[in-house]
Amino acid sequence: MSDFPFLLLMIAVPAVGAAVVAALPRGRDLLAKQISLGVSLVVLLLAVLATVAFDAGGDRFQLTSSVSWIEDFGVSFALGVDGIALVMLLLIGVLVPVVIGASWDDEPVGTRSMTVFFAWILLLEALMVGVFAATDVFLFYVFFEAMLVPMYFLIGSFGGPRRQYAAVKFFLYSLVGGLIMLAAVIGLYVVSANQGEGSFAFEVLNAIDIDPDVQKLLFLGFFVAFAIKAPLVPFHTWLPDAGAEAPVGGAVLLVGVLDKVGTFGFLRYCLPLFPDASRDFAPYVLALAVAGVLYAALLAMGQSDMKRLVSYTSVAHFGFIALGIFVFTTEAATGAVLYMVNHGLATGLLFLVVGMLIARGGSRRISDYGGVAAQAPVLAGVFLVAGLASLALPGTNSFVSEFLVLVGSYPSRPVFTIVATVGIILAALYVLLMYQRTMHGPARGLMGGHDLATPDGGEPAGPAGDTGGATATATVTAAPATARRVPDLSRREIAVASPLVALIIVLGVYPQPLIDLIEPAVAATISDVGGDPGGAEPQADTDAARTEAGN
Amino acid sequence: MLSSYVPIVGLFALAAAFAFFSVAAAPFIGPRRYNRAKLQAYECGIEPVDQSLHGGRFPVKYYLVAMLFIIFDIEIVFLYPWAVANDALGVFGLVEMVVFIATVFIAYAYVWRRGGLEWD
Amino acid sequence: MTLAHYLVLAAMLFTIGAVGVLVRRNAIVVFMCVELMLNSVNLTLVTFARATGTVDGQIMAFFVMVVAAAEVVVGLAIIMSIYRTRRSASVDDANLLKY
Amino acid sequence: MSLLASPEQPTLEDFGTDVWWIVLIKVVGVFVVLVVMTLFAIVFERKVVSRMQQRIGPNRVGPRGYLQSLADGLKLAFKEDIMPALADKPVYFLAPVIAAVPAFLAFSVIPMGPSVSIFGERTPLQLTDAPIGVLIVLACSAMGVYGIVLAGWASGSTYPLLGGLRSAAQMVSYEIAMGLSIVAVFLYAGSMSTSEIVAAQANGNEVSFFGWEFTGPSWFAVLLPVSFVIYAIAVVGETNRAPFDLPEAESELVGGFHTEYSSLKFALFFLAEYINMVTVSALAATLFLGGWRAPWPLSIWDGANSGWWPMLWFFLKVVVALFVFIWLRGTLPRLRYDQFMRFGWKVLVPTALVWILAVATMRTVSREADLSTGQVALFVGVP
Amino acid sequence: MIEAPDLDYAALAPLLFLFGAACIGVLVEAFARREVRHPVQLAVALVGTVGGFLSAILLASTRELSGDGADVTAGDALAVDGAGIFLQATIAGLGALSILLFAERALDPARSSFVAAAAVPAGSPRDRELLTSERVQTEVYPLATFALGGMMLFVAANDLLVMFVALEVLSLPLYLMCGLARRRRLLSQEAAVKYFLLGAFASAFFLYGLALVYGATGSVRLSAVQEAVTDGGGDTLLVLGLALLIVGLMFKASVAPFHTWTPDVYQGAPTPVTAFMAACTKVAAFGAILRLLYVGFGTDEWTWRPLIYGIAIVSMIVGAVLGLTQTDLKRMLAYSSIAHAGFLLTGVLGFDATGDSPGLSATMFYLLVYGLTTIGAFAVLTMIRDGDGEATHLSSWAGLAQRSPVIAAVMTLFLLALAGIPLTSGFTGKFAVFRAAIDDGAWPLVVVALLTSAVAAFFYLRVVVLMYFSEPAPDGPTVGVPGLPTTIVLAVTAAATLVLGVVPGSVLDLAGQAANLVG
């Protein structure tokens, strides 16, 4: 079974599907959606089967296949997964059908065709699978950059009012990062060539020794690209724009999967390939991560635009993930990987719900909503679940991962851990505030039948605390007379949301299967970097490793 | 070797002296009874129109002749050394020159057919 | 006079030509300056031919003359064509392509 | 060829070795010869033309009117010198100089005789020579064009301008034909030095014709008749002489480029034109007619090619050539400008090119096949 | 007796094809009737270029050009080596594509992009009459073929003098071709004047460099220069000569700071000619640069390395930054070509005097892919037209994707390739040159190159944004229906851009095998 080309198929099937969908004539929207959904479900099935075929205790990379691609550059089309990548593939498998379902009834902007939208989504899926499954650095880079193109078109063609700006910003940020990484990729190849046969294969590169000074340069090259991708503060400014302007489906994939490539890259490439440099830079990275957690949380509280708010929560969460990765303990790193999955589910759901709400209200402003829970209880319920998962309430999946990160990082980095914990409190604040303002209280703004007070997507109107009071007074008078009926979730929407809700709860209660998958891979990674694979006495080990490197 | 050019310089000096003397002396030897009409350009009695200098335009044909001249003069530049050294160059030299002249002929044929050699 | 004198003279001519190209505004004059540069190169070539005792440099001067002539032909044609339309050979008047 | 040359035949090494006073004498000599030849040519022309037109011609000044042109020259000097108001002064002033000086210089490489003894110094009867002798002539004749164009332009008048442009166009056009026509001469002589070209025409080749040995012709005019004809036609155009005297077509352009010139300035142009005529005649003699060497019947006498005698032969040849110039003027009507240009570009130039190729092929074939030049010339080149 | 040089006619075959076709083209122009001239000229030009291409390939396949088969011929004036033949084939192939663009007759209502009679003053009654007539001008074919022949000679020249002559043979027809646009004739003539004056200026520099090198070494043969360089590298005269030679070549390659003519000329010239210049001239100029630096001055690399290093940086920055401010697509592509020249120079730096130089094969590959892509991009440009001819202003491209999705997609592909996005040929090329440069320790340069690529990507993206994300203007330009020639060009270039991005292996391999130069 393990010889079965799961990974290749997971790339090929959606790619072919994308071509087929794109080739459909203009009017056949329904067929396009059906094909897309079918294809994405096939991928999910493949992902599940691959997981079954994966032996958690076996080799680091499994399901491998390798074909020589560009001999001159020593590039192979080499695929393979470890536990970390595998869970990411599962996440992709789950999210894409959900996204397709969620976008089922989306209306295109202008005269554009929705078939193109689904084609882009499928192409994006293929490329995302490729990114996680590549075991050749060059191949990884190719997928990494190519992934931009479908996302760019998703944002630019199907997004909100400022989509052009957001799309270009997104593309340029990522491209700059990618190009810097390209320099490092080439450098890596040259280093390997100087030590024998030049190669891009991860395994080969992992085995060679690199001069510490060179390591620093190469590390920075990779790090900047991943930091932009993952968005770590201060490279994050593109995400709120892209997240807010992207169509809901695009936003889910963007924040849920695409950005994980950054944190995945830290784990897969930065740490094992440049262990010395990673240790040297770890304090700075951690500082950035923790600063990001706080800064993003504070910014999130200031947002009046729901999608921007959700985007900022993601920035905060990525800070957490980076924290888990760069303390170099297996526990924390396992937590971080788990967090990547859980964040994808939780934030994905949050985006979906916000999207459903926006679809009803036509505005992204928090102040335009109020009292929705009374009319649409199911919507409010799902919103609550998503919100709670996002603030990592015990019992939801995020709690497990956040807990693991904190527990794993406290022994070696107590200060950073404590500061990051403050972020949790802030997270509770902003998520709950948003929930409370939109779902409860008097029916206001749009829900109250008023036209929008300000143009859509305008500047945030001051701190959230103030707006609450002001708009409340304004709407009280008008609300009863013209209150509009807010429809509750349709069956399609419930079908879309329910798998995520289920997964959030299941993984919150029983995360062990995932942890079992992740842990060996993480342990291998952490041992590469000279951290503590076992989790015991991390402090001493890292210190020892650092002294070693210092000598 | 350059000494064989010295006589030319001598002749040049003599000729130039003669010519300059003639030109410079002319106004002083002859009578001077100018009037306005005399100093005007010769125009068969019509009021002269100042047009030849500064901004005057010549028929483009003259440029064409100049260009053709340059091209063929250049050909001559190559023909002379070849002719002098022809005995040493052998058959190869002949073949090369045939190719060269044939190439010039191609251009020549083009100019001819395109009316470049017509003066209308 | 040593050979260096010829070289210096050629270099000066070349510089005069180059400066002329840069500061003069009439296309024909600019073009003449280019020709001056080419001819200063001829002088250099012939001087070097003398210095090295070979005839290569002189032969090269022939080629340069040919090229210069071809350039004259093409250049005059181009300049004439625009002159006939604009009635000016000033480079400054040709400014449609400035942005 | 040098084996066959007489001891008086100067070689290139003989030039540039003269003492200064010899040089001075020769410089003045050439200058005087040219001026005298000009004066003679003018009067000669008038006399010949008048004979052809059944009239007497100048017969008042000097013996039988032969000092007429001298008198004309002096008269010109005392004419009013006019500088037109619209003229470009410096150029107007310089143009006659530019026209006249190269005309003198062109003659400097024409060989007028073998080496002779002047006051005990042995020196060739030639001002100087160089390996590229003929190029000097060509260069000088090309320089003359500047004088004419500038004269026409600087006059600030329409007729001179057109005349100047026309003559420039005409001169450069026919210069091509002229330049091409002498390539074959170089091919045969293997040199561009005028003295060596004369030497190359010294002796005919021994030709065996059906067992009958005889000396073949040695003049390039005979060996290369097409070249000679083209040269002859081209120089008429080159010197702006009838029937190609279009630049000064009185009916169209008044006086051509020198319409606005008067007095000695006009005289300089006049001088330049006649000197050019003399020069091209001398060059024709040098390149095609055996130079200063005695023509065939005379050459039987051994002394004909030594001492001062050859100068006589040389000037005879020049005068004959001048006579042809005048003869043409007396006989032929002026061409239209388009006819003239067409004839130059469409007949002379291609013919010259083809002829060069034919000659070169013939020579190469004869050399490769190891035939004597004369044989091939007889069979192929000279039908 | 002077010995006749040995002529290897098989090795000269590509050149003979081109020059032969050019001469025949002139004769056709002289003797064929006007009605048949266009098809005949096209056929002659295509036979010439395709014949040159095929004979180059045949030559490469029958000889060991990377090994013992590499040789010099024609009295050491020409090199017959892998790089030379590869570049010759590239030039001939790209030339054939450009000539197809010249032949497009379906797009312009007047059936051609070239002026019917170049000598008629613009704007005169006769000119207006000709503008709408269907008379086509066919001189452009022999001109282009001559230029191509010059380019192919340029890349194979083993002698600075031959290089100079080739430089002129390729330049002079180009000057003329720039002035042949049917519409916007003043612009076109102005471009021709500018190109001519600056081009002649630059070739004077090249020539002076040649003279100085001759003075310093006593020869202009590259191998002799190399020997002299090896003996006494630091000679001032030699260094000065090299610098001047580089200036001359950089001008042709439109490398900043010698680029000032590029935007004006690219904009003013007829678009097919711009495509021709952008692709073929660049290949030729860089071929000569490679040969000059590697063969002639290879043993003295530390003299030129800093110079090239600096020029590369300037060129990339100038191209990328000034490209941002452009509102005309042709100008934008001109600045893009300046930036690409900088990228190419980073590849040139990947030189290793001792071993094999990855820079050579990388640069050759880059030239090939850049040429193909840029021809494609300009071909698309010829199709977007309004009543006044081609609509090259950025604003007129708004919403093109909705009006003509296929064309927009193809253009996007080319723009992505120019930006160097993976899975397009542009990325493979960039990767190759950057790898060569890093291999040689020039990583700071590569970092600059990457940052400028990002900047440059912005202006490529802007076009994509306009085409896809903007609403079309109501009175916007129309997308012409291309005839067969343009369709072929678009198909070939688009396919090549994709294929060389996805499976570039065999072509890279070919470039690698061809990467050798003889001196």
Side-chain angles (χ1 to χ4, degrees), chain C residues 8-72:
Chain C
V8 170
L9 173 65
M12 282 163 61
L13 287 176
F14 189 84
T15 315
I16 291 170
V19 171
V21 170
L22 297 175
V23 303
R24 294 306 292 265
R25 281 291 155 257
N26 186 302
I28 304 272
V29 177
V30 171
F31 181 46
M32 292 295 185
C33 290
V34 171
E35 292 298 308
L36 181 62
M37 291 166 78
L38 292 182
N39 283 314
S40 78
V41 173
N42 276 348
L43 181 55
T44 315
L45 282 172
V46 173
T47 310
F48 279 133
R50 180 92 179 179
T52 53
T54 57
V55 292
D56 294 8
Q58 298 184 23
I59 295 169
M60 283 187 246
F62 269 20
F63 279 87
V64 175
M65 279 187 243
V66 176
V67 165
E71 233 167 41
V72 167

Side-chain angles (χ1 to χ4, degrees), chain B residues 57 85-93 95-96 103 105-107 109-111 113-114, chain E residues 1-5 7 9 22-24 26-27 29-32 34 37 138-139 146:
Chain B
R57 301 169 74 192
N86 183 49
D87 286 347
L89 286 172
V91 179
F92 175 74
V95 171
E96 290 293 293
T103 316
F105 256 106
I106 290 173
Y110 173 74
V111 174
R113 290 282 300 187
R114 277 308 172 91
Chain E
M1 196 74 176
I2 297 166
E3 277 302 307
L7 283 176
Y9 283 101
C23 289
I24 294 173
V26 173
L27 288 178
E29 197 61 32
F31 294 109
R34 175 165 283 147
R37 237 182 250 161
T138 46
E139 268 119 342
F146 267 123

Side-chain angles (χ1 to χ4, degrees), chain D residues 188-310:
Chain D
Y188 263 73
S191 169
M192 284 196 272
S193 146
T194 45
S195 57
E196 285 184 358
I197 289 172
V198 171
Q201 299 175 76
N203 298 80
N205 300 285
E206 295 298 322
V207 177
S208 168
F209 195 67
F210 296 119
W212 180 39
E213 297 279 332
F214 76 108
T215 306
S218 59
W219 288 5
F220 286 141
V222 182
L223 278 176
L224 306 165
V226 178
S227 287
F228 181 59
V229 170
I230 294 174
Y231 177 85
I233 298 172
V235 292
V236 177
E238 173 78 3
T239 48
N240 294 339
R241 288 288 305 183
F244 301 148
D245 56 344
L246 302 148
E248 42 204 89
E250 296 90 348
S251 50
E252 302 167 31
L253 295 169
V254 194
F257 61 90
H258 52 56
T259 303
E260 300 286 353
Y261 279 89
S262 59
S263 177
L264 277 177
K265 293 196 185 92
F266 173 74
L268 279 181
F269 282 120
F270 215 67
L271 182 70
E273 182 178 334
Y274 278 84
I275 291 180
N276 280 334
M277 250 167 78
V278 172
T279 306
V280 295
S281 302
L283 193 65
T286 306
L287 296 181
F288 293 101
L289 304 175
W292 42 262
R293 292 191 172 272
W296 170 62
L298 287 169
S299 61
I300 298 168
W301 171 41
D302 280 345
N305 281 337
S306 59
W308 290 82
W309 284 108

Side-chain angles (χ1 to χ4, degrees), chain D residues 38-234:
Chain D
T38 305
L39 295 178
F40 167 75
I42 295 169
V43 118
F44 184 54
E45 174 170 21
R46 291 179 69 176
K47 288 219 169 246
V48 170
V49 170
S50 57
R51 291 291 166 200
M52 288 180 173
Q53 293 168 347
Q54 302 289 343
R55 52 190 178 87
I56 301 171
N59 62 352
R60 297 282 157 183
V61 189
R64 307 185 62 179
Y66 272 106
L67 292 182
Q68 177 67 46
S69 48
L70 184 63
D72 285 347
L74 287 174
K75 178 198 71 180
L76 268 180
F78 292 104
K79 287 292 178 186
E80 187 172 10
D81 184 58
I82 291 172
M83 171 90 76
L86 290 174
D88 187 296
K89 304 272 179 323
V91 180
Y92 181 83
F93 187 85
L94 268 177
V97 180
I98 297 175
V101 173
F104 281 101
L105 291 188
F107 205 79
S108 56
V109 290
I110 301 292
M112 292 175 282
S115 292
V116 296
S117 177
I118 299 178
F119 302 118
E121 290 281 338
R122 261 201 102 65
T123 182
L125 274 176
Q126 177 177 7
L127 183 56
T128 188
D129 198 4
I132 43 103
V134 178
L135 285 189
I136 294 176
V137 182
L138 293 180
C140 292
S141 72
M143 283 299 291
V145 181
Y146 281 102
I148 291 175
V149 164
L150 291 177
W153 179 80
S155 298
S157 174
T158 312
Y159 292 118
L161 178 69
L162 286 177
L165 283 174
R166 268 194 182 191
S167 63
Q170 163 175 350
M171 288 171 84
V172 298
S173 301
Y174 277 65
E175 202 172 306
I176 297 293
M178 181 181 135
L180 287 174
S181 67
I182 55 183
V183 170
V185 173
F186 301 150
L187 204 69
Y188 263 73
S191 169
M192 284 196 272
S193 146
T194 45
S195 57
E196 285 184 358
I197 289 172
V198 171
Q201 299 175 76
N203 298 80
N205 300 285
E206 295 298 322
V207 177
S208 168
F209 195 67
F210 296 119
W212 180 39
E213 297 279 332
F214 76 108
T215 306
S218 59
W219 288 5
F220 286 141
V222 182
L223 278 176
L224 306 165
V226 178
S227 287
F228 181 59
V229 170
I230 294 174
Y231 177 85
I233 298 172

Side-chain angles (χ1 to χ4, degrees), chain A residues 69 111-112 145 152 172 179, chain E residues 402 422 450 458 465 468-469 502:
Chain A
W69 180 25
T111 56
R112 291 182 179 81
E145 288 284 51
Y152 170 71
L172 284 182
L179 288 172
Chain E
Q402 296 180 42
L450 290 167
F458 180 75
V465 167
Y468 279 92
F469 307 155
V502 178

